[in-house]
């Protein structure tokens, strides 16, 4: 198990991460979500050792990787840019990864290159999608037990994006690897994760599975003749996702049947339950303005 224990980090005297704790188990995919500036990239870079924690520990099977640095090669990292790999040839990248990761599987990597029809030489003719796929295949060939991915699908066309997501799912399940993936693309993230971490202002605000969240919250589309009654909108456990004319979409916490009875007494023109999504939960945790 990869355990992040009471991790804190300052950059330029500003506290970016504050007493963060969570676990990543092998064979699971965890989504890291949060607003821009919440500290996601700082968290990932601290876990993989690019930054050093000011407080707390990063443990693999209860071994602190700062005290036992040989355990660090059990974590592989793919950054949010391909700038690192584009300056090398495929052969040079293989040498770099073989030196960095003693369990790097060269044959597996070369087989994957052939499977995805990626050239074996220079990266000059590689498209952005091809570079991303190559970077991911390198990361997945390290033999690491834990893989950290920072925005792996940014800027990809739908075909390559689908390939990348399928590759992540397949690799995590068949190799019993724990994957932590940071992404703003919540719709696609929801399809592949086992649980999500919500990072807000440098702290973990919530750790949950989608099933746990849908047991606690529900989403409704309602309409009233004179619009949503203020006494409903102002209830503490009700968040108004949107309003268009007479129609409102609500995300509600608590007892569903009791709330439905409350609405029913007000003779709604429309009362319909909608599927709750990861995007909805993001809105619930951070008060809206999803894409700021």
């Amino acid at each position: 198990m990869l355990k992040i224990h009471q991790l804190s980090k300052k950059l330029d005297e500003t506290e970016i991460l504050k007493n963060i704790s969570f676990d990543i188990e092998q064979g699971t995919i965890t989504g890291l979500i949060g607003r821009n500036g919440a500290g996601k990239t700082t968290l990932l870079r601290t876990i993989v050792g690019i930054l050093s924690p000011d407080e707390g520990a990063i443990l693999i099977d209860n071994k602190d990787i700062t005290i036992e640095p040989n355990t660090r090669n059990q974590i592989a990292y793919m950054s949010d840019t391909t700038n690192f790999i584009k300056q090398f040839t495929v052969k040079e990248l293989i040498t770099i990864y073989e030196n960095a990761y003693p369990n790097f599987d060269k044959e597996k990597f070369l087989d994957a290159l052939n499977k995805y029809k990626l050239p074996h030489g220079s990266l000059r003719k590689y498209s952005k999608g091809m570079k991303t796929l190559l970077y991911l295949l390198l990361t997945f060939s390290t033999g690491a037990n834990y893989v950290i991915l920072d925005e792996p699908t940014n800027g990809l066309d739908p075909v390559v994006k689908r390939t990348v997501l399928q590759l992540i799912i397949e690799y995590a399940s068949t190799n019993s690897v724990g994957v932590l993936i940071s992404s703003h693309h919540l719709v696609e993230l929801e399809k592949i994760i086992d649980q999500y971490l919500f990072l807000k202002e440098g702290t973990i605000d919530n750790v949950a599975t989608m099933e746990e969240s849908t047991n606690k919250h529900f989403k409704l589309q309602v309409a009233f003749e004179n619009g949503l009654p203020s006494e409903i909108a102002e209830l503490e456990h009700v968040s108004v996702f949107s309003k268009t004319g007479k129609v409102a979409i609500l995300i509600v916490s608590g007892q569903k049947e009791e709330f439905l009875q409350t609405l029913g007494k007000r003779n709604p023109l429309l009362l319909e339950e909608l599927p709750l999504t990861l995007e909805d939960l993001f809105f619930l945790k951070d008060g809206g303005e999803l894409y700021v």
Side-chain angles (χ1 to χ4, degrees):
M1 179 182 290
L2 174 61
K3 186 177 184 67
I4 312 305
H5 180 65
Q6 297 181 346
L7 193 69
S8 295
K9 178 65 183 176
K10 289 183 178 180
L11 295 175
D12 298 326
E13 302 304 315
T14 300
E15 192 171 29
I16 306 299
L17 305 176
K18 308 166 188 176
N19 197 33
I20 287 178
S21 297
F22 62 89
D23 300 332
I24 301 294
E25 295 186 8
Q26 289 182 236
T28 64
I29 301 175
T30 298
L32 175 63
I33 64 175
R35 297 283 288 273
N36 291 336
K40 300 187 298 298
T41 295
T42 299
L43 174 59
L44 299 187
R45 290 179 176 176
T46 305
I47 293 173
V48 301
I50 296 173
L51 301 172
S52 299
D54 295 324
E55 296 180 18
I58 301 155
L59 309 166
I60 296 179
D61 298 331
N62 294 317
K63 297 178 181 179
D64 191 327
I65 66 174
T66 58
I67 298 173
E68 300 187 48
N70 61 318
T71 61
R72 195 180 296 278
N73 58 35
Q74 293 188 45
I75 304 176
Y77 175 57
M78 177 178 169
S79 71
D80 59 350
T81 173
T82 58
N83 287 341
F84 160 66
I85 67 166
K86 70 180 184 181
Q87 58 189 311
F88 302 105
T89 65
V90 170
K91 183 178 180 180
E92 289 170 338
L93 286 168
I94 290 173
T95 300
I96 292 169
Y97 273 74
E98 283 181 324
N99 290 331
Y101 296 94
N103 295 323
F104 183 80
D105 192 332
K106 179 179 177 180
E107 294 305 315
K108 176 181 178 180
F109 172 68
L110 291 174
D111 287 344
L113 284 188
N114 293 331
K115 176 181 178 181
Y116 292 102
K117 297 179 172 58
L118 295 175
H120 287 219
S122 169
L123 272 59
R124 286 196 300 270
K125 294 183 179 180
Y126 270 51
S127 66
K128 176 177 176 57
M130 293 167 70
K131 289 175 186 174
T132 298
L133 192 53
L134 173 67
Y135 200 176
L136 192 61
L137 293 176
L138 282 166
T139 306
F140 282 165
S141 299
T142 57
N145 292 325
Y146 304 94
V147 170
I148 312 296
L149 307 175
D150 193 359
E151 299 286 354
T153 61
N154 260 5
L156 302 183
D157 68 54
V159 175
V160 177
K161 185 178 294 187
R162 182 178 180 184
T163 300
V164 167
L165 294 174
Q166 288 177 335
L167 186 56
I168 293 170
I169 295 170
E170 178 183 341
Y171 186 78
S173 59
T174 59
N175 295 278
S176 189
V177 170
V179 177
L180 175 61
I181 174 172
S182 172
S183 178
H184 284 100
H185 303 287
L186 304 185
V187 174
E188 65 190 37
L189 194 63
E190 181 183 334
K191 298 175 183 177
I192 67 171
I193 60 174
D194 298 293
Q195 67 172 357
Y196 67 90
L197 310 175
F198 187 82
L199 189 64
K200 183 176 181 180
E201 297 177 354
T203 63
I204 296 293
D205 187 83
N206 191 34
V207 181
T209 65
M210 285 300 296
E211 181 179 1
E212 290 169 340
S213 296
T214 53
N215 287 336
K216 294 179 180 178
H217 314 286
F218 54 97
K219 183 179 180 181
L220 298 174
Q221 181 173 237
V222 298
F224 294 88
E225 182 62 38
N226 297 312
L228 183 67
S230 58
E231 57 267 33
I232 296 294
E234 293 169 3
L235 289 172
E236 186 177 353
H237 61 291
V238 174
S239 296
V240 181
F241 188 85
S242 68
K243 286 195 294 185
T244 306
K246 298 179 181 181
V247 180
I249 295 178
L250 312 177
I251 301 175
V252 188
S253 307
Q255 295 296 319
K256 184 188 301 183
E257 294 305 318
E258 181 179 332
F259 186 73
L260 291 177
Q261 290 176 9
T262 299
L263 289 180
K265 293 176 181 177
R266 297 181 177 279
N267 300 313
L269 303 174
L270 171 68
L271 177 53
E272 176 185 16
E273 185 172 2
L274 303 175
L276 188 72
T277 68
L278 187 59
E279 196 169 89
D280 297 331
L281 295 169
F282 194 118
F283 165 84
L284 188 65
K285 287 294 179 182
D286 220 348
E289 296 185 57
L290 294 181
Y291 302 107
V292 172

